[in-house]
Amino acid sequence: MASDKASSRISGYYKKTVEERVSIAAEMADLTSDEVELLRSGGGLGLEAADRMIENVVGTIEYPLGVAVNFRINGRDRLVPMAIEEPSVVAAASNMARLMREGDGIKASCTDPVMIGQIQVLDVPDMDGAKKALKEAKESLLDLANQQDPVLVRFGGGARDLQIRVIETEAGEMLVLHLLVDCRDAMGANAVNTMCEVLAPSVEKITGGRVLLRIISNLADHRLARAEAVVKKDDIGGEKIVDDIVAAWAFADADPYRAATHNKGIMNGVIAVALATAQDHRALESGAHAYAARSGHYRSLSRWSKNEDGDLVGVLEMPMAVGIVGGATRTHPVARLALKIMGASKAIDLAGVMAAVGLAQNLGALRALVQEGIQHGHMRLHARNLVVMAGADGNLIDRAVEALVESGEIRFDKAQEIVRRLKG
Ligand code: MEV
């Protein structure tokens, strides 16, 4: 974003036209006229770039790109681009971010961006001997790994450590060597996989075993993002709602059937930002769910509690393997633009924003679920689409939505009838 002081607190952003929203985002993020044009064109990638990205290209598919407003994270206001096909998600994130703005807003923090590469070693003749030899060879193995990526090392990243594990499996005992790599601003799959492949022959020599797999782990539990926020009880509807949200969270934390849906709500936010910025969202999904099951029991990724003032406290901690250099983040013009709108200049910046959005999204779902239920908001949005399709514009839209929701018959013919009547 152009200025760290620009406020993301924009009331009624959703009521503005697409043109007006683009202008506001353009001003806040200091977009060039080409960038504004890119947003207005509604396209972005183009067939040529798509054809370079994957195989057998026959077209591209578009998603709506929205901007969530009201986010203040670590004292800084941010607009948050989100790409998603599901209605209500961007609105819920913006609404909950408004309740979380108090003071410095949402507090976000990240560990160092360390990914794990796994080297699977079979047929090790002497496990204790192999473990000892690997420990002795640690520095030379790390050096060899770092020779593969001098650029990463120059930017302060690179192979940091080795961890040795022995696991029992259906196919017998195996040694698994973990290579820990600080990936800085890259997601890191390429760097980590290359390093693991290069180390394999040395690992075979040192252990006397046979290396099979050499691949990154998506359970990125050394690369965590954390977001934390307090919502005043009066802003969320009183202490009873706070208690109900805590009880709804406890349900998810105790029951995998509920946890899967609860965490899906978190991922609505996380993945929408991931799509807008062209991240490897499958890696994020698998990392999140594996992390949620790390205790041996699939649980909630978030935690909600009540503090001594009766206010609601939320914390979300999850793996966040994201990058802002390399891959589609660089080659997709809209993804680059999304990063600019968000003002993310480091991968850990982006990771913190994604955790903040996940937390806000989770609260949006829980708040709706403990009160009016989830369909109410969906139906309002649906009603809004219907009245606009039926010809409502300007001030008439809100009045027509009210009347349509009130009627309890949220259908296009009813919307037409109401719009006709209100137009008069
Ligand atoms: C729908 O996309 C997400 C929710 O089901 C999440 C939840 O139940 O917490 C509303």
Side-chain angles (χ1 to χ4, degrees):
M1 273 164 54
S3 152
D4 282 3
K5 294 191 181 62
S7 174
S8 65
R9 174 78 190 95
I10 307 174
S11 85
Y13 193 63
Y14 70 99
K15 288 188 192 157
K16 301 194 186 298
T17 62
V18 175
E19 273 297 309
E20 289 168 334
R21 287 189 215 118
V22 170
S23 300
I24 292 171
E27 198 180 318
M28 287 185 67
D30 217 359
L31 302 187
T32 65
S33 52
D34 283 352
E35 288 167 338
V36 169
E37 211 27 63
L38 185 62
L39 285 178
R40 283 205 182 113
S41 70
L45 182 58
L47 270 181
E48 244 178 67
D51 196 33
R52 283 193 299 271
M53 240 179 226
I54 63 161
E55 311 73 39
N56 301 358
V57 165
V58 294
T60 59
I61 177 168
E62 290 161 15
Y63 273 75
L65 178 70
V67 165
V69 294
N70 303 333
F71 275 90
R72 177 179 291 157
I73 304 167
N74 296 337
R76 180 173 168 192
D77 276 39
R78 308 255 189 182
L79 293 181
V80 183
M82 300 175 79
I84 189 159
E85 86 300 341
E86 184 174 328
S88 303
V89 170
V90 179
S94 303
N95 285 337
M96 294 306 112
R98 182 167 45 81
L99 306 186
M100 294 171 158
R101 282 177 67 79
E102 190 84 352
D104 267 357
I106 303 171
K107 289 194 188 73
S109 58
C110 295
T111 60
D112 279 344
V114 172
M115 297 297 288
I116 301 167
Q118 293 195 292
I119 302 176
Q120 177 196 20
V121 197
L122 306 176
D123 310 328
V124 177
D126 166 13
M127 209 46 104
D128 287 338
K131 281 171 29 185
K132 187 161 173 283
L134 279 171
K135 275 184 201 145
E136 282 164 7
K138 175 171 144 179
E139 289 312 319
S140 66
L141 288 171
L142 294 179
D143 274 354
L144 181 58
N146 280 328
Q147 282 163 29
Q148 310 315 309
D149 204 330
V151 178
L152 181 59
V153 173
R154 204 165 59 240
F155 280 99
R160 288 270 180 272
D161 205 358
L162 294 180
Q163 289 175 342
I164 305 161
R165 301 169 56 218
V166 177
I167 59 170
E168 292 299 332
T169 77
E170 294 272 334
E173 192 182 57
M174 299 172 188
L175 186 150
V176 181
L177 183 63
H178 280 192
L179 174 68
L180 304 193
V181 184
D182 183 326
C183 298
R184 294 285 98 192
D185 284 327
M187 185 274 183
N190 275 332
V192 171
N193 292 340
T194 304
M195 288 179 181
C196 288
E197 290 188 6
V198 162
L199 292 194
S202 306
V203 171
E204 288 191 333
K205 223 176 276 163
I206 294 165
T207 60
R210 178 170 71 89
V211 167
L212 196 55
L213 304 194
R214 298 138 296 162
I215 188 75
I216 196 164
S217 167
N218 289 125
L219 174 47
D221 60 0
H222 288 267
R223 193 177 195 172
L224 300 174
R226 186 183 158 91
E228 191 174 342
V230 178
V231 177
K232 292 257 178 284
K233 57 176 181 286
D234 293 336
D235 290 342
I236 196 87
E239 201 155 341
K240 160 89 170 46
I241 307 283
V242 171
D243 289 335
D244 284 351
I245 288 173
V246 173
W249 161 78
F251 175 20
D253 204 46
D255 175 29
Y257 288 94
R258 173 58 203 149
T261 322
H262 175 99
N263 289 341
K264 189 271 184 182
I266 293 171
M267 299 312 277
N268 274 347
V270 171
I271 297 299
V273 182
L275 280 174
T277 56
Q279 302 300 314
D280 180 344
H281 49 94
R282 289 84 57 210
L284 289 163
E285 286 280 5
S286 67
H289 298 297
Y291 191 68
R294 68 193 181 284
S295 64
H297 180 86
Y298 184 83
R299 301 174 64 169
S300 163
L301 285 165
S302 62
R303 164 169 284 274
W304 292 95
S305 58
K306 184 166 78 167
N307 68 15
E308 59 279 9
D309 299 324
D311 297 331
L312 182 65
V313 182
V315 181
L316 170 66
E317 183 190 83
M318 58 181 285
M320 207 64 91
V322 293
I324 60 162
V325 295
T329 28
R330 276 284 137 220
T331 52
H332 200 305
V334 180
R336 278 204 310 274
L337 190 47
L339 286 172
K340 182 168 174 183
I341 291 173
M342 186 190 299
S345 56
K346 292 195 174 77
I348 53 169
D349 250 10
L350 172 61
V353 170
M354 287 168 72
V357 177
L359 185 68
Q361 208 71 61
N362 187 208
L363 179 59
L366 295 180
R367 195 214 54 78
L369 285 166
V370 303
Q371 291 185 286
E372 71 277 6
I374 213 72
Q375 285 308 94
H376 185 257
H378 280 275
M379 280 310 175
R380 280 198 83 80
L381 262 166
H382 185 46
R384 201 175 171 79
N385 284 335
L386 289 178
V387 300
V388 170
M389 272 162 57
D393 53 13
N395 289 340
L396 201 80
I397 297 178
D398 283 343
R399 285 166 54 214
V401 168
E402 277 321 313
L404 188 57
V405 170
E406 196 99 312
S407 77
E409 294 172 86
I410 304 178
R411 296 190 319 263
F412 186 55
D413 59 325
K414 192 72 189 173
Q416 282 178 310
E417 183 194 311
I418 287 170
V419 170
R420 244 192 328 265
R421 177 161 48 78
L422 289 177
K423 277 189 166 171

